[in-house]
Amino acid sequence: AGYAATGGAGGSVAGALLLAVLGQRRHAAGQRVGLDPRTWLRATHPSNYVLLAAAHTAVGAALRVAGMNAGGGVVALQGVGSALCAVAAAVWLMFFSAAMAVYETTSLPLRSLPLLDFGAPPPPSGEEGEETAAAGGSDEGLPLLEVDVLICGGSISGLSVASLLGRAGVRTLLVERREEPVTDARFLFCNPATMDILSKVLDPDLLEELRVQRAWPQHAPFGTILATGLAHEDGSARCRGSALGPSPASLKADPSRMNAITESRCVGCASSRFVHPTRCMQSHQEQVLKAQAERCASNEVRYGHELLSLAHEGVEEEEQSGTCILALLRPTGGAPETRYRVRCKYVVGADGPASRVAELVGAKYDGFLGLNKSRSIAVVVPGLAARLARTIGFAHQYWLLRKRRGLGLVVPVDPVSDLFNLMPFPVGELFQQSPTRVAEEMTGTSRFTLKQEKPWWWNFFVARQFSHGRAFLVGDCAHSWPPFGGLGGNTAYADAFNLSWKLAAACRGEASQALLNSYDIERRQAGLST
C-alpha cells in the first residue's frame, strides 16, 4: 500500500512540477508565458496523461503488493500489476512528448522570431531590423496606397475574403508571396456547406467551371475501396472491401438512392442546395477564386509581394488599436527602394501556418506539433484511372495493403489527367523507400511521371485569439489539422464568409467593433469543436 501511494503521489507531483516549469519558462524574447488554464479542461491536454499515468502506477503497484502477499494466484496478480506499470510508463512517455509540444506551440508558436510589440518595432538587427524600423517613422518618402482592407495571403480563404469584399464594393488589396497560385493537389474536398459559400463568392460561370469543368466526373461514386494492388500485373490487385455511395449524377436523378455514407457527408448541411460533396484540386480552386477577385473593380491583387511590418496610426486612449494600420510591403525579395506603404482600416492574415501577420500581432496557439510524419508523392500514371474503372472499381480513394511491404493511401486527384497522390503510412519498409520506389510499389507500374514529393507533419493547433484589434486571422493562419476529410479547407471557407460580411458592414460605417469581435467568438469555437 505504501509503494502504491508513493508511486501515485510521486507521479502526480512530478507531472505537476514539469508542467509548472514548462509553463513559467521564459522564451527568447524574455517574456513570461504560462499555459492557458482553459486548455486544462480538454481531453488531449498533457495534464490528463499525468492523471492516467498516476492511476495506472498506483493500481499496478497495489496489485503487485497484493500478489506478493496472497497465498494463491500470485503470478496472475503480479503479472497484471506489471502490465499496468508498463502501460503507465508508456503514458508517461506520451505525456513528456505532448507537454513539450504544448510548450513549443505556447511560447514560440511556429516561428523563431521573438514576439513583436504591435505598436512599436523591435530594435534594428541587420536587414530585417532596418526594414521593420522603416515602418516606425523613416518611410515617409515611400509611395503610399490607401485601401479599406489589406489581405495578406492568396490562399482559398484570402481570395474568398477579397472576392466577397469586392462584391460589396470595399476597397481591398490582396498580396501573396508566391508568384502564382499553388500547382499541387492539397485540399480537395468541398462539402455542401462550402459549396453554398462558393455560390455566393463566385459568379455563375466561375461556379460552373469549378463544379463541372474542373471537378471530378459527375458519374464517379463517392467512397473508399480497400485493395491489395492497382495496376499490378502479378495478380495481386484485388478488391477486399468497399464503402461506396451513389454518384452525384445518379443521386440527382434519384434522391432516394442516398445511403448512410452519402448522408454522413451532408450532416449539418440539411439546408444546402448541394446534396453531394464536390472534389476539386486546390490549385483549380485558387485559379477560379483569383479570377473572381480580379473581376471586382474595387479589388487589387498582387502576387509576388510580401508584408514586412505593421504599425498603428491615430492611437486614441479609448481605442488602443488605433484608427488605422500602416503596413510596409515590397515585391518578394525586392530591394529596399522597392518598398511601399499601405494605409488600411483592417488587416486579414490568410498567409498560412507560418503567418507573418500572426507573428507581428503576437498570436499564440494551443495544441500539438509534429505528432506524426507523413509523405505525399504526386505522380501522373497514364491510363490508370480508366484501368481502375474496368478492374477493381473507381472510387475517391484507395486504401492499399501491400503484403510484407506496408500500406498507404492512394487518392485520384484528377482522373482526367491521371494525377494521383500517394501517401505511404509510417509502418513497414515502404515508408522508407525512395519516391520512385514507393510509386512503383503502390501503382504497380513503372510508367509514371513523378511530379512532386512533400513530407509533412500532423499538427493540431488553434490560435488563442482569431482577432487582434484591427487584425484578423483566417484559415491555416488560425488553426491547423491533418489534411483528412478537408477539415482545414472547409473551415477556412467558413472563416472567410463569417468575417467578410462583418468587415464590409464596418467599412461602410454600418457596424461597430462589437460586431467584428463576434468573429473571434464564433469561429474560434468552431475551430475548437473541429
Side-chain angles (χ1 to χ4, degrees), residues 42-295:
R42 301 178 194 165
T44 56
H45 193 271
S47 61
N48 296 314
Y49 295 138
V50 175
L51 300 178
L52 189 60
H56 278 77
T57 302
V59 175
L63 289 177
R64 285 182 58 82
V65 172
M68 288 187 288
N69 295 331
V74 176
V75 176
L77 284 175
Q78 289 188 355
V80 173
S82 299
L84 286 174
C85 290
V87 171
V91 175
W92 273 114
L93 292 176
M94 294 170 60
F95 158 71
F96 284 115
S97 174
M100 288 303 298
V102 165
Y103 169 65
E104 291 297 328
T105 55
T106 301
S107 61
L108 291 174
L110 300 174
R111 305 158 253 289
S112 60
L113 295 176
L115 301 180
L116 303 180
D117 181 357
F118 195 40
S125 175
E127 181 183 359
E128 181 68 24
E130 294 172 3
E131 293 166 351
T132 307
S138 61
D139 56 353
E140 290 82 358
L142 297 177
L144 177 64
L145 176 65
E146 296 200 21
V147 296
D148 293 322
V149 179
L150 171 64
I151 303 173
C152 298
S155 61
I156 54 176
S157 56
L159 289 166
S160 296
V161 173
S163 298
L164 288 166
L165 291 178
R167 281 178 170 272
V170 177
R171 296 176 303 157
T172 303
L173 171 64
L174 183 146
V175 294
E176 165 58 48
R177 287 180 54 88
R178 293 176 279 120
E179 297 292 338
E180 58 184 14
V182 297
T183 57
D184 53 349
R186 303 195 186 189
F187 169 59
L188 295 169
F189 180 88
C190 295
N191 63 30
T194 292
M195 295 308 300
D196 268 338
I197 292 174
L198 286 171
S199 69
K200 299 175 176 63
V201 173
L202 300 174
D203 290 339
D205 61 320
L206 292 178
L207 179 65
E208 185 71 7
E209 178 181 348
L210 184 70
R211 291 187 59 232
V212 179
Q213 300 177 24
R214 293 177 178 261
W216 263 56
Q218 294 293 299
H219 63 272
F222 183 87
T224 302
I225 288 179
L226 177 64
T228 56
L230 298 182
H232 298 76
E233 300 291 350
D234 56 2
S236 62
R238 295 286 188 275
C239 176
R240 297 301 184 186
S242 64
L244 299 175
S247 68
S250 61
L251 190 59
K252 184 177 181 180
D254 184 7
S256 65
R257 296 192 58 182
M258 179 180 289
N259 59 13
I261 298 172
T262 308
E263 188 176 6
S264 69
R265 297 296 182 178
C266 301
V267 172
C269 306
S271 61
S272 173
R273 63 187 180 93
F274 300 94
V275 297
H276 203 283
T278 297
R279 286 284 297 269
C280 181
M281 293 172 58
Q282 182 173 333
S283 58
H284 292 167
Q285 296 177 47
E286 288 194 12
Q287 291 166 9
V288 171
L289 288 167
K290 181 174 180 287
Q292 178 64 57
E294 291 173 337
R295 283 186 180 183

Side-chain angles (χ1 to χ4, degrees), residues 276-326:
H276 203 283
T278 297
R279 286 284 297 269
C280 181
M281 293 172 58
Q282 182 173 333
S283 58
H284 292 167
Q285 296 177 47
E286 288 194 12
Q287 291 166 9
V288 171
L289 288 167
K290 181 174 180 287
Q292 178 64 57
E294 291 173 337
R295 283 186 180 183
C296 301
S298 61
N299 283 354
E300 184 175 355
V301 178
R302 297 184 179 183
Y303 275 67
H305 288 249
E306 61 182 347
L307 172 69
L308 296 178
S309 65
L310 295 171
H312 284 298
E313 282 193 336
V315 179
E316 303 171 358
E317 291 183 1
E318 65 274 12
E319 186 182 3
Q320 292 300 316
S321 62
T323 56
C324 64
I325 295 176
L326 186 64

Side-chain angles (χ1 to χ4, degrees), residues 497-509:
F497 185 72
N498 184 288
L499 178 62
S500 297
W501 71 269
K502 297 173 182 178
L503 280 177
C507 290
R508 291 193 298 261

